[in-house]
Amino acid sequence: MSTRLFELMLWAAGKTVLLSAISIAIGLAIGLLVCAAKLSPKKLLSIPATVYVSLFRGVPLLVQLLLIYNLLPALGILVPSEVAAIAGLALCTAAYQAENLRGGFNSVPRGLIEAADMVGMSPWQQLRRIRAPIAFRLTLPALVNEMILILKASSLISVVGVIELTRMAQNLSASTFRPLLFYSVAGGIYLAICWLVAGGGSLAERLMRTGSSR
């Protein structure tokens, strides 16, 4: 493989990481809101949140991407294919992240909440000092796993015209007739990226355990 072709693969890998990171960040923000709605005692909030989670967890991501890509122009909204891809990935991962966060908040020991009530902590203080730190520490492995899944699932966004790592490998293998080489390189790059994300997650877990033990 020439240096120029390898640079094209690295450029596509960088685009994959960028689009995935943006999608994950937006998805986490949406997931927090959906999680809060599902935990709300008000059915006006919890029912739509439950429907949202069921919808985006039940429909394949590929179908979601195609629907969003074709729905936006039908509504008169013209956006680049990258925006449609980010929207699809973000809305999908938000449903999974919402459930991960909900499990974390529900796992906070009830005794800690009762103790916080006894010392007069407000609900906001309880959330900031007790519930949120414990919930994020408990759900961190699941959130990191979701990041890795989205990184790998980003290979599907080529169906909406985005040239990411998998599409670049397809294009180069078709033009050079060397599919094994380019798909192997793409697989190695995906593996390296996921390994770095998993390593960062493990480091974050250790730091959070160290901070909580002080």
Side-chain angles (χ1 to χ4, degrees), residues 13-82:
K15 189 171 185 179
T16 295
V17 172
L18 176 62
L19 295 180
S20 298
I22 295 173
S23 301
I24 291 167
I26 296 174
L28 180 59
I30 298 173
L32 283 168
L33 296 176
V34 175
C35 173
K38 286 203 71 173
L39 292 173
S40 173
K42 299 179 180 179
K43 293 188 180 297
L44 188 61
L45 295 176
S46 62
I47 291 178
T50 300
V51 172
Y52 174 89
V53 170
S54 299
L55 176 64
F56 282 93
R57 292 176 72 188
V59 178
L61 176 58
L62 180 60
V63 177
Q64 295 178 34
L65 288 168
L66 291 171
L67 282 173
I68 292 172
Y69 182 70
N70 290 281
L71 177 63
L72 292 178
L75 297 176
I77 304 174
L78 302 178
V79 297
S81 55
E82 287 83 359

Side-chain angles (χ1 to χ4, degrees), residues 159-175:
V159 300
V160 297
V162 178
I163 301 179
E164 40 66 63
L165 183 56
T166 299
R167 174 53 65 89
M168 181 63 74
Q170 289 177 330
N171 292 344
L172 294 179
S173 64
S175 61

Side-chain angles (χ1 to χ4, degrees), residues 74-118:
L75 297 176
I77 304 174
L78 302 178
V79 297
S81 55
E82 287 83 359
V83 175
I86 290 172
L89 291 175
L91 291 173
C92 179
T93 189
Y96 290 92
Q97 294 192 56
E99 285 298 277
N100 291 334
L101 292 168
R102 186 174 67 88
F105 279 105
N106 285 335
S107 298
V108 176
R110 183 61 189 172
L112 292 177
I113 305 301
E114 293 175 351
D117 288 332
M118 292 180 63

